[in-house]
Amino acid sequence: MAKVLTKKEEDFSQWYQDLVINADLAEYSPIKGCMIIKPYGYSLWEKIQQTLDKMFKETGHSNAYFPLFIPKSFFEKEAKHVEGFAKECAIVTHYRLKTDEINKKLLIDNDAKLEEELIIRPTSETIIWNTYRNWIKSYRDLPILINQWANVVRWEMRTRLFLRTTEFLWQEGHTAHATREEALEEAIKMLNIYAEFAEKYLAIPVVKGVKTPSERFAGADETFTIEALMQDGKALQAGTSHFLGQNFAKAFDVKFLNKKGELEYVWATSWGVSTRLIGALILTHSDNNGLVLPPAIAPINIVIIPIYKSDDQKTKVLEKCNEIYLELKNLGYSIKFDDRDNYTPGWKFNQYELQGIPIRLAFGPTDLVNNTIEVTRRDTLQKETISLSELLPKIKILLQDIQNNIFNKAKKFKEENTFIVNDFEEFKKKIENGGFFLAHWDGTPETEEILKNETKATIRCIPLETKEEEGFCMISKKKSKKRVLIARAY
Amino acid sequence: MAKVLTKKEEDFSQWYQDLVINADLAEYSPIKGCMIIKPYGYSLWEKIQQTLDKMFKETGHSNAYFPLFIPKSFFEKEAKHVEGFAKECAIVTHYRLKTDEINKKLLIDNDAKLEEELIIRPTSETIIWNTYRNWIKSYRDLPILINQWANVVRWEMRTRLFLRTTEFLWQEGHTAHATREEALEEAIKMLNIYAEFAEKYLAIPVVKGVKTPSERFAGADETFTIEALMQDGKALQAGTSHFLGQNFAKAFDVKFLNKKGELEYVWATSWGVSTRLIGALILTHSDNNGLVLPPAIAPINIVIIPIYKSDDQKTKVLEKCNEIYLELKNLGYSIKFDDRDNYTPGWKFNQYELQGIPIRLAFGPTDLVNNTIEVTRRDTLQKETISLSELLPKIKILLQDIQNNIFNKAKKFKEENTFIVNDFEEFKKKIENGGFFLAHWDGTPETEEILKNETKATIRCIPLETKEEEGFCMISKKKSKKRVLIARAY
């Protein structure tokens, strides 16, 4: 039986959850807020990892690995950082269990209490800057350009598969620099890499910007962000890059001898994206038939499905399908040949639509006679029967076309749902339908607070690429020089 | 200053630690028993990961991800499993910190106590088999062939970098099968993959065998192992593959409808290797100058070092070096061009010897005149000046030759240090010098206990590839049909 999703027009949130579960991407585990990433979902993460890892290495970064545990006292060292994370962290207090001899249940062994509690890393700035103190003596040791692929834990109260989970997988870059300018440049460089990755591979158009002080990463002097617009009109923060100033260097006493022979605190950045990107991918492109994947990130680009009735047909059809499969595979395409005979072609069609495979090839007895093949693209669901001799050039063009089409569709959606507003009452009405809003803001946290309390929307960022423009704050009517991006967000 | 290692003949253990630290592989963190894997050490792990991951995928396995946390009650379900792991696990008891308003220190928030404690996974059989219960209904859902790359925590009292650390990185395969035979076949298949990987890539000769009941993985019916011999004569268990029978299926009630329509418990395997392999790699091949890496696993295969005095020489030498670098790089070799001028060539020579780069190329003013280049192989430290026109064929041959030579050297060492013994007193003397010993054993845990208590040696495995042979147990003098492999071990 093909699985049927809730229609997204009926219940967007349920549609999302149905899709994640039915497309075999992930499911909840018995541990509150922790997910199990199933093989198909994990293969998406692997594609994301491979692509980003290559981009990081091409820009001079190396991977390393730091401990999962952070001593509690490390958190106390950076005041803002602790505020941001202390309230949602998993705490290890003991290192041994014992068996209750009476009922055979396991108990904590109170003789094995840790002297100092350990926090499961919610992010690794503290343990890493404590380490950098020993690695950095002089300007010759700089820059340090390190990335880590790891799991982190933030004890979230309200969770959703991929979008917000207690444990999640991510990468966190942590760099150390001799000058303010160089660190700032690095933070912006990584923001640009995230934006390029989102647009070129995930086909998600993004707005690059800088967060307001109240939305900054706990411990950052400046947080850069890429913000994307989901199909329900909500914003999703897809990646952040932080200019940390000298905050962590001061907290962990990391100084270096500069070229002039003076001791100076080191400048820092950190930047990360997570399995949340899979949520963004789903929410941006998918439809009521399931996932729609851009070819550049799809783990499988083409699936070939044989169609036959008689045994005689079966032999001939499978043989020809296998030939086509091998030819495409040898050309480097990621292709799957689904020759299982305990599922019908119809079931398979639905399944691969659900899983978002960009191109479906179907080949049956008529095609044998006519030397043809049916080609269906997932993004538009358009079908076409073409001559076998046209298949190779067709596929090459189609994959590029699907990638472009998915991106352009998302871009058009974003543009059509980005509104310029000047009046708060007008905004309050419009925000109910979602979208990105460009409005003037007076720059104060008080006004931000009013916005949030009255509309549940937040300033997503101050866009980097919009022009200065004289105006008046939508809420306070005070003078403003630039519009900010406002939306309700995931 | 070039770093100098303790000589391994003087203090093997110190030599190992010096090497790990000075070659920039890893260092201890402030968290007891947890290490920081530095970029160069991590690049070795990345090569291991990439190579094994490919082998796993080629044999039909997919990656997935399961939670870091395991509810305490899951451990209680498999009696032997809990015995094996309960005494060395990190326990999460709370999920929030609060600030002590008086001294501004962080405290555990006692209002945020977990109802059920969570264990940081020491291995994932329990959480995975709890999940498989929902995934498996009929024989059509089998086999499940899943692998996970993850961090695990075992609260070890005595730790050593890479060899035994509280947190370590590993892969754990967890498969589910319809029949005993198929599961057993899978366990052996993965053992063979580990052995092939160890010998072909790491150049570490191994003995494949099965563990005695007392040395089995906690919860396994049979544990297969690859055992390697380190240069100090101690054995190192380099990978294990477990046939779990129906133990976890019974503990988590995982049944399937077989082809006859009957409900049956599912059969299982699990198998893993870890960052310990890096320790094995070091202990097998390295020398007093540092690491010796087999080209098949070296992150960098060739380094090119320019030599010059005058500025005029510098320009010409760097230009030619860059030409050679690009040519080799374009041919797909992993090559590094170290053109830094704040380090002397001598310092660089030492550094790359320490880091085990298989081939060092040095090019200076004389080479400019003569059209030559100096080629040094790391394994034998042999130097040769050859004509530039011979470089390409030379490198191709040399890399293969280094790989073979490193493996053959280790194999010869293993063979020369594998002894047949029949007398316990003779064994007691010989074991002091280390080595692998093949001796008869009566098959009882009592005799194993005597062996361990009197000699600190253990039965590493019952080798799969040795012949049956009538004999008498070295200790009890009872009848025995096969020799077992005995050694002191890491």
Side-chain angles (χ1 to χ4, degrees), chain B residues 106-352:
Chain B
L106 285 172
L107 298 175
I108 287 184
D109 185 341
N110 283 318
D111 293 340
K113 191 173 186 300
L114 289 170
E115 275 183 49
E116 179 179 1
E117 295 86 354
L118 297 173
I119 313 303
I120 308 291
R121 62 180 164 222
T123 179
S124 302
E125 279 77 7
T126 56
I127 180 80
I128 288 179
W129 278 87
N130 184 70
T131 307
Y132 282 178
R133 184 176 58 248
N134 303 319
W135 292 4
I136 301 169
K137 302 290 167 210
S138 107
Y139 69 92
R140 285 188 205 87
D141 302 320
L142 295 170
I144 293 179
L145 304 173
I146 282 182
N147 176 59
Q148 163 169 286
W149 291 96
N151 52 344
V152 285
V153 171
R154 297 178 187 176
W155 210 270
E156 303 280 357
M157 285 299 129
R158 294 171 61 187
T159 56
R160 291 180 81 180
L161 292 166
F162 290 119
L163 296 169
R164 195 175 293 276
T165 49
T166 302
E167 182 192 15
F168 56 91
L169 302 183
W170 80 342
Q171 61 67 217
E172 45 179 328
H174 294 275
T175 70
H177 305 267
T179 66
R180 186 180 194 285
E181 293 65 40
E182 198 187 293
L184 204 48
E185 197 179 289
E186 165 82 6
I188 291 167
K189 180 197 281 176
M190 300 322 289
L191 180 80
N192 286 328
I193 283 183
Y194 287 157
E196 185 190 338
F197 173 71
E199 301 203 331
K200 200 166 145 191
Y201 293 90
L202 304 180
I204 301 176
V206 294
V207 175
K208 292 188 277 188
V210 60
K211 289 280 181 190
T212 63
S214 68
E215 297 278 336
R216 269 178 207 149
F217 174 76
D221 278 0
E222 211 71 273
T223 287
F224 300 95
T225 179
I226 51 170
E227 299 283 330
L229 184 64
M230 304 297 102
Q231 290 181 74
D232 60 348
K234 282 166 82 175
L236 186 141
Q237 176 182 305
T240 49
S241 178
H242 316 292
F243 168 63
L244 303 173
Q246 295 174 313
N247 301 333
F248 286 91
K250 284 178 181 164
F252 289 90
D253 194 29
V254 191
K255 289 177 189 162
F256 73 104
L257 216 53
N258 68 20
K259 283 188 182 171
K260 291 182 233 157
E262 301 155 346
L263 269 182
E264 210 183 316
Y265 284 111
V266 178
W267 298 86
T269 82
S270 68
W271 27 274
V273 299
S274 72
T275 33
R276 186 167 222 226
L277 284 178
I278 298 175
L281 191 63
I282 300 167
L283 290 170
T284 304
H285 307 305
S286 303
D287 62 25
N288 286 332
N289 296 308
L291 207 52
V292 175
L293 290 178
I297 212 73
I300 303 163
N301 264 313
I302 308 163
V303 64
I304 177 161
I305 297 167
I307 296 166
Y308 50 81
K309 281 189 180 135
S310 69
D311 275 356
D312 179 50
Q313 284 177 352
K314 180 178 172 179
T315 313
K316 285 178 188 156
V317 164
L318 287 184
E319 193 185 330
K320 191 68 191 170
C321 283
N322 196 46
E323 214 176 88
I324 298 165
Y325 164 73
L326 287 176
E327 188 176 7
L328 288 168
K329 194 178 154 71
N330 290 336
L331 285 167
Y333 291 107
S334 54
I335 178 167
K336 180 175 175 172
F337 176 22
D338 189 348
D339 60 354
R340 292 177 296 174
D341 59 9
N342 49 345
Y343 293 94
T344 66
W347 186 93
K348 292 177 187 173
F349 283 20
N350 283 326
Q351 183 62 17
Y352 295 114

Side-chain angles (χ1 to χ4, degrees), chain A residues 193-224:
Chain A
I193 283 184
Y194 288 157
E196 185 191 339
F197 173 72
E199 301 203 332
K200 200 167 146 191
Y201 294 91
L202 305 180
I204 300 176
V206 294
V207 174
K208 292 188 278 189
V210 61
K211 289 280 182 190
T212 62
S214 67
E215 298 277 336
R216 270 178 205 147
F217 174 76
D221 277 1
E222 211 71 273
T223 286
F224 299 96

Side-chain angles (χ1 to χ4, degrees), chain A residues 264-276:
Chain A
E264 212 183 315
Y265 284 112
V266 178
W267 298 85
T269 83
S270 69
W271 28 273
V273 298
S274 72
T275 34
R276 186 170 223 224

Side-chain angles (χ1 to χ4, degrees), chain A residues 46 65 72 76 106 167, chain B residues 63 65 72 76 106 167:
Chain A
E46 285 180 302
Y65 189 77
K72 194 185 66 178
E76 288 161 355
L106 285 173
E167 183 193 15
Chain B
N63 291 327
Y65 189 78
K72 194 186 67 178
E76 287 161 355
L106 285 172
E167 182 192 15

